[in-house]
């Protein structure tokens, strides 16, 4: 039985003394997650493929006065097992355990709109604008890399549960509302890959609970990132104008998601050890408008 005092938000969602790793942590949703964790006391290691992005993120978002830290690891390509092994080795030299992995590295794919009424035209639009290589690259980054990143860090995650309590260590997979809806959005390969990410989350949550490691996923809607805005500013932040979201016609909230809204989801899944195998859509209500599966 908890006292009322113990139900304060500052207690419920404190991650003081947590050690976290965020892939794709130099920008977009990965950086939002890193900031949220560091702001609430965690030591957060971020990695991505670009050294300058990591350095700029650390410099621009130092969580002074919070007790947390954002620390750049070496740059790694999460689609390469050799890089993932090196990442594990680097982390193992610095830490005895980690409490959280946020798998936020991901890419989109080329657009091929299925908007023709005649099959010959539909074939041309899709056949001529997509390749097996593009599909494989999207799948490798958005699905396979999530799996291998999680697997390589399992020993450190299990050690985190041993220090902080049963099923306290976890993985948060950043999937997408695109992996839940039936609308292709002009990129079959990305939506199919994110559907794979969603199901991978469920598979890993069931199989890795024997190690006392939870796995959940956040399925974001439109959040500012290099994927949605095509660029980042000098602070590694992106901006999506409200008008761009409103013209889509299927976002009840009428705007892109805010950093704070992603932070709330990250902290909830990090701290609630009674949640495992869940896909949390943070999408501004899109899936109430666009058909899900």
């Amino acid at each position: 039985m908890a006292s009322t005092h113990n139900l304060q938000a500052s207690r419920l969602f404190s991650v003081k003394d947590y050690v976290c790793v965020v892939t794709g942590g130099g920008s977009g949703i990965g950086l939002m997650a890193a900031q949220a964790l560091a702001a609430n006391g965690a030591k957060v290691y971020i990695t991505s493929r670009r050294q300058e992005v990591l350095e700029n993120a650390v410099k621009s978002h130092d969580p002074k006065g919070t007790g947390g830290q954002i620390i750049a690891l070496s740059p790694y390509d999460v689609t390469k097992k050799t890089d993932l092994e090196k990442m594990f080795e680097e982390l193992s030299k610095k830490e005895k355990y980690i409490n959280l992995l946020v798998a936020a590295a991901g890419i989109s794919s080329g657009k091929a709109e299925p908007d023709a009424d005649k099959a010959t035209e539909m074939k041309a639009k899709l056949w001529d604008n997509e390749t097996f290589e593009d599909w494989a690259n999207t799948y490798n980054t958005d699905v396979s890399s999530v799996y291998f990143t999680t697997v390589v860090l399992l020993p450190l995650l299990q050690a985190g549960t041993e220090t902080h309590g049963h099923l306290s260590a976890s993985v948060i997979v950043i999937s997408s509302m695109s992996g839940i809806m039936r609308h292709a959005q002009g990129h079959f390969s990305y939506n199919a890959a994110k559907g794979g990410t969603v199901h991978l989350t469920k598979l890993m949550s069931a199989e890795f609970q024997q190690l006392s490691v939870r796995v959940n996923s956040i399925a974001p809607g439109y959040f500012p990132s290099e994927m949605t805005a095509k660029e980042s500013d000098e602070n590694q932040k992106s901006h999506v104008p409200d008008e761009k979201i409103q013209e889509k016609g299927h976002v009840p909230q009428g705007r892109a998601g805010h950093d704070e809204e992603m932070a709330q989801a990250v902290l909830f899944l990090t701290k609630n050890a009674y949640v495992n195998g869940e896909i949390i859509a943070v999408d501004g209500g899109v899936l109430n408008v666009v058909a899900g599966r």
Side-chain angles (χ1 to χ4, degrees):
M1 296 281 290
S3 70
T4 302
H5 183 70
N6 287 332
L7 299 180
Q8 293 178 353
S10 59
R11 287 175 174 261
L12 292 174
F13 300 109
S14 171
V15 284
K16 183 181 178 181
D17 300 326
Y18 271 50
V19 179
C20 309
V21 177
V22 182
T23 65
S27 63
I29 291 172
L31 180 54
M32 294 177 202
Q35 290 177 269
L37 295 161
N40 288 277
K43 181 191 291 186
V44 186
Y45 292 96
I46 61 172
T47 187
S48 74
R49 286 182 289 187
R50 296 171 290 168
Q51 181 73 48
E52 68 278 8
V53 167
L54 294 171
E55 292 174 354
N56 200 29
V58 169
K59 180 178 67 176
S60 301
H61 301 286
D62 183 3
K64 292 179 181 177
T66 66
Q69 297 173 268
I70 298 179
I71 303 166
L73 291 171
S74 301
Y76 295 112
D77 183 343
V78 293
T79 66
K80 296 179 179 178
K81 289 182 79 173
T82 52
D83 275 26
L84 291 174
E85 288 171 339
K86 290 176 183 176
M87 181 181 72
F88 174 77
E89 291 169 4
E90 182 180 356
L91 281 166
S92 296
K93 290 176 182 177
K94 298 175 184 291
E95 304 292 343
K96 294 181 179 179
Y97 62 83
I98 63 174
N99 304 99
L100 175 70
L101 164 66
V102 180
I107 61 171
S108 188
S109 57
K111 298 281 279 189
E113 292 285 355
D115 55 1
D117 293 328
K118 293 186 177 180
T120 52
E121 294 177 11
M122 179 79 82
K123 174 189 172 183
K125 281 177 173 285
L126 302 180
W127 186 266
D128 296 343
N129 289 291
E130 297 181 288
T131 67
F132 275 96
E133 291 76 17
D134 289 339
W135 273 69
N137 188 39
T138 304
Y139 190 90
N140 275 343
T141 304
D142 293 351
V143 187
S144 304
S145 76
V146 172
Y147 173 75
F148 285 107
T149 301
T150 303
V151 168
V152 81
L153 294 178
L154 281 174
L156 289 173
L157 285 162
Q158 187 178 49
T161 271
E162 290 168 354
T163 59
H164 284 68
H166 181 54
L167 285 170
S168 62
S170 71
V171 179
I172 298 175
V173 176
I174 303 300
S175 57
S176 174
M177 66 177 185
S178 299
I180 302 174
M181 65 175 61
R182 297 188 183 193
H183 180 33
Q185 298 176 288
H187 36 55
F188 275 93
S189 59
Y190 176 77
N191 289 30
K194 286 300 185 177
T197 310
V198 166
H199 194 58
L200 175 64
T201 297
K202 298 175 183 179
L203 295 173
M204 294 194 298
S205 73
E207 300 296 347
F208 297 158
Q209 64 185 357
Q210 63 189 307
L211 305 176
S212 294
V213 175
R214 293 180 296 117
V215 185
N216 293 290
S217 178
I218 296 172
Y222 301 106
F223 274 79
S225 69
E226 292 184 350
M227 188 181 297
T228 54
K230 310 303 181 187
E231 62 182 3
S232 292
D233 64 17
E234 66 278 5
N235 296 317
Q236 296 306 130
K237 287 292 182 175
S238 303
H239 175 67
V240 180
D242 291 352
E243 307 79 59
K244 183 176 180 181
I245 300 299
Q246 291 162 5
E247 69 187 19
K248 295 179 182 295
H250 58 232
V251 186
Q253 187 57 259
R255 58 167 174 80
H258 292 161
D259 292 20
E260 293 87 347
E261 289 156 341
M262 184 54 59
Q264 289 162 347
V266 168
L267 291 170
F268 164 66
L269 290 178
T270 301
K271 286 303 300 287
N272 195 322
Y274 217 59
V275 179
N276 195 8
E278 292 303 310
I279 315 299
I280 308 296
V282 186
D283 68 344
V286 171
L287 293 174
N288 285 336
V289 180
V290 179
R293 64 189 185 195

